[in-house]
Amino acid sequence: MGMFSTDNPWVFISGILGNISSFVVFMAPLPTFIRVCKKKSTEGFHSIPYVVALFSAMLWVYYAFVKPGAFLLITINAFGCVVETIYIAVYIAYAPKQARMSTIWFLLLLDFGGFLGILLVSHFLAKESKQRRQLLGWICVAFSTSVFAAPLSVMRQVIRTKSVEFMPFYLSAMLTLSAVAWLVYGISLKDLYITIPNVLGLIFGSVQIILHAIYRKRKTVVDEVKVPEHSIDVRKPDTVTNSEVQEISLEPEVDYDHRMSGERC
């Protein structure tokens, strides 16, 4: 298998742009975890988005290994596996006992059990490489599509509150750029499985940009912003006090989870 597809220069160009934009998206929650380390508390955040992001990166690395010329898909998702593992490790280190145990169980169930199951199924049911690529490709498409509930909840919050406070523009822009880059990458490789999720990513990213244009000058009354509801949809904190609501509202990382619409694929 060649490391790069040399037939079409757009494969390399779009792959590099996709790596850069996805790198920024992967690093978006870093300030949150720096704060977690300083305060030695997860402050009610849930680990599900990071466990899911790790599983997604693992799936795309596996798919890229059986897909000729998809080396740039391996590089960014291998990096994603490392970064998400670090995030999860930090979370487990500082989370309360109940949250820590649920995270470990979910990690074992999805990222180890689920991935092992897919590995075995693809090995025994798809003997030929083409069949294996098709099977893995549709699994990646199905999983990537399923995580689009996250940006929908954020966009609903923006429309309801008429404020983009919880949807940072730079993150929406990077998600859109990432979707465009990987969409071009998929088209250039003539890969349906890479193209489909990023068509949806481009649509959701464009809607987020439009919402920014509509609501960016609107001021939000604090009493009208029900952060706990949004936090339950995305972070699922155990309890949120008024002081926690005010603190979370100042951090753009609350909306990190809606970046999963920009799958690194």
Side-chain angles (χ1 to χ4, degrees):
M1 180 182 71
M3 290 179 64
F4 301 99
S5 177
T6 57
D7 296 334
N8 190 337
W10 283 107
V11 173
F12 180 76
I13 295 172
S14 59
I16 292 296
L17 291 176
N19 271 250
I20 294 172
S21 57
S22 295
F23 174 84
V24 174
V25 174
F26 271 127
M27 299 304 292
L30 183 60
T32 295
F33 282 92
I34 291 176
R35 189 174 74 245
V36 167
C37 291
K38 288 181 179 179
K39 295 188 176 183
K40 301 185 184 304
S41 171
T42 55
E43 301 178 318
F45 289 112
H46 205 280
S47 60
I48 287 179
Y50 311 104
V51 177
V52 170
L54 175 59
F55 183 66
S56 177
M58 292 168 65
L59 281 180
W60 284 110
V61 167
Y62 184 27
Y63 174 76
F65 267 113
V66 300
K67 168 70 179 180
F71 179 75
L72 291 174
L73 194 60
I74 297 176
T75 55
I76 188 59
N77 284 289
F79 172 77
C81 288
V82 174
V83 171
E84 298 298 341
T85 299
I86 293 174
Y87 291 156
I88 294 170
V90 171
Y91 183 91
I92 291 175
Y94 294 109
K97 184 178 179 180
Q98 184 177 358
R100 182 187 304 120
M101 293 307 300
S102 63
T103 297
I104 293 174
W105 278 111
F106 188 53
L107 182 67
L108 291 174
L109 179 65
L110 182 64
D111 292 5
F112 288 91
F115 186 75
L116 180 61
I118 292 174
L119 195 66
L120 293 175
V121 168
S122 64
H123 180 75
F124 289 107
L125 295 185
K127 300 290 186 180
E128 298 180 3
S129 59
K130 182 179 180 180
Q131 292 178 335
R132 189 170 298 150
R133 282 199 303 271
Q134 291 176 341
L135 176 62
L136 289 173
W138 284 117
I139 291 175
C140 289
V141 169
F143 184 79
S144 299
T145 304
S146 68
V147 300
F148 281 107
L152 285 175
S153 66
V154 175
M155 288 186 282
R156 182 186 65 182
Q157 179 79 358
V158 170
I159 294 172
R160 187 172 60 81
T161 61
K162 298 182 179 2
S163 170
V164 293
E165 181 181 4
F166 303 103
M167 193 172 67
F169 178 77
Y170 86 93
L171 193 52
S172 297
M174 292 310 299
L175 285 169
T176 306
L177 176 61
S178 179
V180 171
W182 290 117
L183 176 60
V184 175
Y185 185 79
I187 294 174
S188 301
L189 276 180
K190 298 179 180 178
D191 191 306
L192 182 66
Y193 313 113
I194 297 175
T195 303
I196 291 176
N198 289 289
V199 170
L200 295 176
L202 177 59
I203 293 173
F204 281 108
S206 300
V207 172
Q208 290 174 24
I209 297 297
I210 293 173
L211 289 177
H212 269 282
I214 296 174
Y215 296 117
R216 63 187 177 89
K217 293 183 179 181
R218 301 288 184 92
K219 292 185 179 180
T220 306
V221 179
V222 176
D223 292 337
E224 294 179 354
V225 181
K226 299 179 181 179
V227 178
E229 179 182 338
H230 170 63
S231 299
I232 290 173
D233 290 339
V234 180
R235 295 289 185 180
K236 294 184 172 56
D238 298 324
T239 56
V240 182
T241 62
N242 291 333
S243 61
E244 288 171 334
V245 170
Q246 188 175 17
E247 180 179 355
I248 292 174
S249 67
L250 296 176
E251 293 292 338
E253 293 77 34
V254 173
D255 299 297
Y256 154 70
D257 302 326
H258 89 285
R259 61 98 167 159
M260 287 191 290
S261 61
E263 291 292 324
R264 275 73 53 202
C265 57

